[in-house]
Amino acid sequence: MTIEEILAKDEKQIFDRKSIHIKPADLSDTLCAFANADGGTVAIGISDKHRRIEGVDYYVEQLNDLLRTPIDFCNPTIPVTTEMVECINCEGKPDHVLLMHIEASPLFHANQADDAFIRVGDKSKKLNFEDRMALMYAKGVRYYEDEPVADAGIEDLDLDFVRDYCKKIGYSKSPEEYLRENKKYITEKDGKENVSVAAILLFGKNPQNFFPRAFIRFIRYDGTEAKVGKDMNVIKDVIFEGRILDQVEKAVDFIKIQMKEKTYLGHDGIFVTEEEYSEFVRTEIVVNAAAHRDYGIKGTDIQIKMFDDRLEVDSPGTFAGMVKKENVRYTHFSRNPKIAAFLKDYGYVKEYGEGVDRMCRELEAIGLPDPVFNNNTFILKTTIMSADRDQRIAGNARIGDENARIGDENARIETSNPWIDAKNAWIEHIKSMRADGLMTAITSSAVIAVLEDLRENQVIGTQDVQKILDCKETKALRIITEMKKAEVIVTVTGQGKGRYILNVS
């Protein structure tokens, strides 16, 4: 890594910058956070606020204190490797920046004060008691991917594939040296070489010889439910074997040729193609399953199930570490950090901890609900709803029929306030959009809250929505945009820019 790359790199799940003036006790929080999560790199000698290059060469005492931090301030000691990167400091003098590389640790690490941290995005989060207990439980055993595989030897690994991977990551030694010197792919005990689970799954000539159910199965159903017996409705059933990379690539490509695509002429005269599942969403859901499945569960496989209205992925295992159903969007923990890191090298993992959040944002942008995660015994099920245009048009038609019915009922009832009737009709309309998957539960609840708070003929803007929802401006703007898109509100002229009123027409 060059100084230019260090300066340009954003602080993320696996990277941070720290001043040479940071106290060892404060640095220990970051080191523990990285070790407790996915590992990472800390660049020392750069102001983390202004990215000013301070260097470390002229601060010998501070540098020595920081180098002792993993031993003196972390319990247990955190193994780190260090690297010096040449630079010109802010005073124009030749200097160096120190890189501390921390591996994901199978142990649980705390600082001198017995406070524990974990890396979440670009922050080192202090763990509360409940999360600390969950992480300690998860860290109580070794990673299964590091376990030795009985009767496996280096002859079971594809050294040509390892050589190609070494070229990709810039490793200049031989494939054999890479396997023996990195990430415990091959270890020695009592004079015998042991090949790890991760080595077989990532580099094996035929991983299914050792893990018969370590594959991805794709099942396509005709309809919206799985039927059995004489009513069985399976129309495709394909198994993808081989190394994990092979499985992921084949599965993602196969989903693309099985899903629906709609091409139509847009308003601007340019043809538009809508995919049932976006490239990122369909890739992320498969990669998540392969990277985080529990490979210690050997009696089943990853199953991708495509229905007419949704995509389901069943992955052996449960939520890993401190990840829960409620926090899965923003919390990351690798059950298999070596497998996750390998897939990141091939571009399938962009940034640790961002995948689920980006899936949610992409789905919300087209009016679809967030992914649904459910644990059933030892299977984690992830469900993504289809974005098929015909289904969405049908949903809008149902909403139109419902509104017509509401209108007919209102016509039969003599009301003294048509404005209240319109308001109530819009609330029911939003509920119908949520039921049909055209608006997320969070957005629809916010829109309904705004509607319920409205007074007759009230003109509203962003600040009014902020007060009603007690939210930030960005969320208020998004809710107003959704209300305009659904035609719940219309622009008012003569009241200033960005003013709206309930649509009663």
Side-chain angles (χ1 to χ4, degrees), residues 256-312:
K256 180 174 176 60
I257 65 175
Q258 291 297 311
M259 69 184 189
K260 304 185 188 79
E261 288 185 349
K262 296 290 182 180
T263 301
Y264 58 93
L265 191 63
H267 296 301
D268 53 4
I270 298 175
F271 281 99
V272 178
T273 298
E274 289 185 352
E275 296 182 321
E276 191 174 5
Y277 305 100
S278 74
E279 181 179 2
F280 180 82
V281 168
R282 64 179 183 260
T283 301
E284 181 67 18
I285 196 174
V286 175
V287 170
N288 262 353
H292 300 302
R293 76 159 279 179
D294 186 343
Y295 287 95
I297 299 174
K298 300 178 181 179
T300 188
D301 44 75
I302 295 172
Q303 295 189 3
I304 303 170
K305 301 174 182 177
M306 181 179 281
F307 297 88
D308 287 355
D309 63 344
R310 68 192 185 279
L311 194 65
E312 294 180 356

Side-chain angles (χ1 to χ4, degrees), residues 364-365 367 480-488:
E364 288 169 358
I480 283 181
T481 299
E482 292 295 327
M483 294 177 76
K484 286 165 57 183
K485 189 189 303 182
E487 300 182 349
V488 176

Side-chain angles (χ1 to χ4, degrees), residues 137-376:
Y137 178 78
K139 293 279 187 176
V141 295
R142 295 172 59 184
Y143 290 113
Y144 181 74
E145 66 176 4
D146 288 334
E147 293 294 324
V149 179
D151 301 323
I154 193 169
E155 66 276 5
D156 295 300
L157 304 180
D158 187 337
L159 297 183
D160 289 335
F161 181 76
V162 178
R163 183 177 291 105
D164 291 340
Y165 174 68
C166 289
K167 289 179 182 177
K168 185 174 189 65
I169 63 174
Y171 187 84
S172 59
K173 296 182 181 180
S174 70
E176 293 89 344
E177 288 174 300
Y178 176 77
L179 293 168
R180 291 189 173 98
E181 297 175 6
N182 293 272
K183 303 194 176 190
K184 300 180 181 178
Y185 286 128
I186 296 180
T187 56
E188 185 175 321
K189 185 177 182 181
D190 300 328
K192 179 186 176 184
E193 281 194 337
N194 294 309
V195 177
S196 72
V197 170
I200 291 293
L201 293 173
L202 296 176
F203 305 116
K205 293 177 181 177
N206 191 342
Q208 284 69 45
N209 283 346
F210 300 94
F211 301 95
R213 299 297 293 273
F215 56 75
I216 297 176
R217 181 183 179 190
F218 177 92
I219 308 170
R220 178 73 166 93
Y221 293 92
D222 182 20
T224 59
E225 59 180 312
K227 298 178 181 178
V228 296
K230 63 181 180 64
D231 297 320
M232 181 178 288
N233 57 335
V234 173
I235 56 178
K236 285 283 183 182
D237 192 341
V238 183
I239 290 175
F240 304 110
E241 295 183 321
R243 294 181 286 267
I244 285 177
L245 182 64
D246 299 327
Q247 296 178 33
V248 169
E249 290 176 339
K250 292 173 184 176
V252 171
D253 289 345
F254 198 77
I255 291 174
K256 180 174 176 60
I257 65 175
Q258 291 297 311
M259 69 184 189
K260 304 185 188 79
E261 288 185 349
K262 296 290 182 180
T263 301
Y264 58 93
L265 191 63
H267 296 301
D268 53 4
I270 298 175
F271 281 99
V272 178
T273 298
E274 289 185 352
E275 296 182 321
E276 191 174 5
Y277 305 100
S278 74
E279 181 179 2
F280 180 82
V281 168
R282 64 179 183 260
T283 301
E284 181 67 18
I285 196 174
V286 175
V287 170
N288 262 353
H292 300 302
R293 76 159 279 179
D294 186 343
Y295 287 95
I297 299 174
K298 300 178 181 179
T300 188
D301 44 75
I302 295 172
Q303 295 189 3
I304 303 170
K305 301 174 182 177
M306 181 179 281
F307 297 88
D308 287 355
D309 63 344
R310 68 192 185 279
L311 194 65
E312 294 180 356
V313 177
D314 293 348
S315 182
T318 59
F319 288 115
M322 58 186 288
V323 180
K324 307 181 187 69
K325 185 176 180 179
E326 310 83 62
N327 65 12
V328 64
R329 181 167 180 174
Y330 301 108
T331 304
H332 178 75
F333 185 92
S334 286
R335 175 179 278 115
N336 308 298
K338 293 178 179 62
I339 293 172
F342 175 90
L343 291 172
K344 188 176 190 301
D345 288 333
Y346 279 91
Y348 281 103
V349 176
K350 301 302 180 185
E351 291 295 343
Y352 293 127
E354 291 188 353
V356 175
D357 181 44
R358 180 174 167 184
M359 272 204 299
C360 292
R361 286 188 277 113
E362 286 203 7
L363 293 168
E364 288 169 358
I366 58 174
L368 291 175
D370 291 345
V372 175
F373 299 89
N374 282 306
N375 262 138
N376 299 316

Side-chain angles (χ1 to χ4, degrees), residues 12-13 15-16 30 33-34 37 117-124:
K12 293 285 186 180
Q13 178 81 14
F15 181 76
D16 207 346
T30 302
F34 279 141
F117 294 79
I118 194 166
R119 192 72 174 177
V120 179
D122 61 350
K123 304 294 182 186
S124 297

Side-chain angles (χ1 to χ4, degrees), residues 9-147:
K9 196 174 182 66
D10 290 332
E11 293 185 349
K12 293 285 186 180
Q13 178 81 14
I14 55 172
F15 181 76
D16 207 346
R17 276 181 292 269
K18 296 298 179 186
S19 168
I20 184 62
H21 302 292
I22 188 173
K23 296 178 181 178
D26 294 332
L27 178 62
S28 70
D29 298 346
T30 302
L31 300 183
C32 289
F34 279 141
N36 284 333
D38 302 292
T41 299
V42 183
I44 298 173
I46 299 177
S47 167
D48 55 348
K49 289 185 178 179
H50 307 292
R51 304 193 187 187
R52 184 179 67 253
I53 303 176
E54 304 161 336
V56 299
D57 293 356
Y58 301 92
Y59 302 93
V60 177
E61 186 176 349
Q62 291 98 316
L63 177 61
N64 287 334
D65 287 342
L66 296 180
L67 287 170
R68 289 195 299 269
T69 298
I71 300 172
D72 295 344
F73 288 83
C74 301
N75 184 32
T77 295
I78 296 175
V80 302
T81 56
T82 59
E83 177 184 354
M84 287 292 191
V85 178
E86 293 182 351
C87 66
I88 301 297
N89 66 27
C90 57
E91 296 180 356
K93 299 177 182 178
D95 210 326
H96 288 87
V97 165
L98 170 68
L99 297 185
M100 279 190 173
H101 302 292
I102 303 100
E103 290 278 351
S105 174
L107 305 177
F108 177 84
H109 297 273
N111 62 18
Q112 264 192 336
D114 199 35
D115 291 325
F117 294 79
I118 194 166
R119 192 72 174 177
V120 179
D122 61 350
K123 304 294 182 186
S124 297
K125 177 187 174 184
K126 184 177 178 180
L127 300 179
N128 60 28
F129 178 80
E130 181 181 358
D131 288 338
R132 181 182 177 121
M133 291 300 103
L135 185 58
M136 288 181 73
Y137 178 78
K139 293 279 187 176
V141 295
R142 295 172 59 184
Y143 290 113
Y144 181 74
E145 66 176 4
D146 288 334
E147 293 294 324

Side-chain angles (χ1 to χ4, degrees), residues 288-476:
N288 262 353
H292 300 302
R293 76 159 279 179
D294 186 343
Y295 287 95
I297 299 174
K298 300 178 181 179
T300 188
D301 44 75
I302 295 172
Q303 295 189 3
I304 303 170
K305 301 174 182 177
M306 181 179 281
F307 297 88
D308 287 355
D309 63 344
R310 68 192 185 279
L311 194 65
E312 294 180 356
V313 177
D314 293 348
S315 182
T318 59
F319 288 115
M322 58 186 288
V323 180
K324 307 181 187 69
K325 185 176 180 179
E326 310 83 62
N327 65 12
V328 64
R329 181 167 180 174
Y330 301 108
T331 304
H332 178 75
F333 185 92
S334 286
R335 175 179 278 115
N336 308 298
K338 293 178 179 62
I339 293 172
F342 175 90
L343 291 172
K344 188 176 190 301
D345 288 333
Y346 279 91
Y348 281 103
V349 176
K350 301 302 180 185
E351 291 295 343
Y352 293 127
E354 291 188 353
V356 175
D357 181 44
R358 180 174 167 184
M359 272 204 299
C360 292
R361 286 188 277 113
E362 286 203 7
L363 293 168
E364 288 169 358
I366 58 174
L368 291 175
D370 291 345
V372 175
F373 299 89
N374 282 306
N375 262 138
N376 299 316
T377 314
F378 57 88
I379 295 293
L380 177 60
K381 181 186 292 291
T382 305
T383 303
I384 305 288
M385 298 308 296
S386 167
D388 180 54
R389 188 165 174 263
D390 287 343
Q391 293 178 34
R392 295 172 70 186
I393 290 173
N396 286 330
R398 289 196 300 275
I399 292 170
D401 292 342
E402 178 68 10
N403 286 339
R405 182 188 64 77
I406 293 171
D408 290 342
E409 289 178 354
N410 286 340
R412 291 195 297 269
I413 301 173
E414 293 186 4
T415 60
S416 57
N417 195 330
W419 184 89
I420 293 177
D421 293 337
K423 172 180 168 178
N424 291 335
W426 279 118
I427 290 174
E428 293 303 317
H429 175 72
I430 297 301
K431 290 179 180 178
S432 296
M433 289 185 71
R434 177 172 60 192
D436 290 326
L438 298 173
M439 185 177 288
T440 67
I442 294 175
T443 300
S444 61
S445 297
V447 171
I448 290 172
V450 172
L451 286 171
E452 289 177 339
D453 194 83
L454 284 184
R455 299 184 302 277
E456 186 171 355
N457 298 324
Q458 179 184 356
V459 176
I460 62 169
T462 305
Q463 291 184 351
D464 302 288
V465 174
Q466 279 185 263
K467 291 178 181 177
I468 293 170
L469 300 178
D470 188 24
C471 67
K472 295 182 179 179
E473 182 181 10
T474 52
K475 180 176 180 179

